[in-house]
Amino acid sequence: MTDTLASRLTDLLAPVVEAEGLFLEGIETTRAGRHSAVRVIVDLPDGPGDLDLDRIGEATAALSAALDDADPVKGQYTLEVSTPGAERELRSPRHFRRAVGHSATVTTVGDEGSDPITVTGVVSRADDEAVTIEADGTATVLRLDDIASARMIVVF
């Protein structure tokens, strides 16, 4: 399967995901021999909260119906619908807003004369410009432009 198929699937399925009140995070396609897989990654549109299995099930039914009607994938395939996961990468302002209330590890870009820093804690605030991480009673505000990498983490 090619990027062209993923692009066609995105065009076909984005409105379906949106109609379900969700955000299309991405589509991945794989092929192993005669078998193909279409993985649709969905999330809540914005802000904190969790996506439950009932909502994923409803989205799966709607996506399956759209794929059956359009028949864009040749041969047999498996449809997988999932979220980005508990330890997802955080790249956009929306990702950081979705992470509010969750633990994350954030590493900054090192500036001239300063080394990168890594902060691990709970995301307490996020907007289009910055994210605030609370760790050990200290709030650290980081500009999104200064972040090299960030990932939600699960703390037991």
Side-chain angles (χ1 to χ4, degrees):
M1 289 196 220
T2 67
D3 289 331
T4 304
L5 176 58
S7 177
R8 283 186 309 193
L9 289 171
T10 298
D11 292 344
L12 171 69
L13 300 178
V16 176
V17 171
E18 186 176 316
E20 291 297 315
L22 300 175
F23 180 84
L24 180 60
E25 196 70 47
I27 293 179
E28 300 169 359
T29 58
T30 58
R31 184 166 187 90
R34 294 181 182 204
H35 190 72
S36 301
V38 175
R39 183 169 185 232
V40 181
I41 304 160
V42 298
D43 199 4
L44 292 175
D46 209 334
D50 295 315
L51 186 54
D52 64 38
L53 288 176
D54 289 338
R55 296 266 317 265
I56 293 173
E58 292 165 4
T60 300
L63 291 164
S64 180
L67 287 167
D68 287 347
D69 288 345
D71 198 22
V73 181
K74 293 179 181 172
Q76 293 182 332
Y77 65 92
T78 301
L79 172 63
E80 301 171 9
V81 180
S82 67
T83 68
E87 294 203 346
R88 67 188 75 181
E89 283 188 70
L90 306 173
R91 296 181 304 274
S92 71
R94 187 186 76 76
H95 291 156
F96 284 98
R97 289 190 300 268
R98 291 279 301 119
V100 170
H102 295 278
S103 296
T105 296
V106 179
T107 302
T108 63
V109 176
D111 286 340
E112 296 172 21
S114 68
D115 291 329
I117 62 166
T118 298
V119 179
T120 299
V122 175
V123 178
S124 62
R125 186 173 181 285
D127 59 31
D128 288 343
E129 304 295 323
V131 61
T132 303
I133 308 288
E134 303 271 344
D136 300 323
T138 302
T140 303
V141 178
L142 301 169
R143 288 178 20 89
L144 295 183
D145 290 343
D146 295 335
I147 295 174
S149 65
R151 177 174 293 283
M152 283 178 42
I153 58 172
V154 176
V155 177
F156 293 100

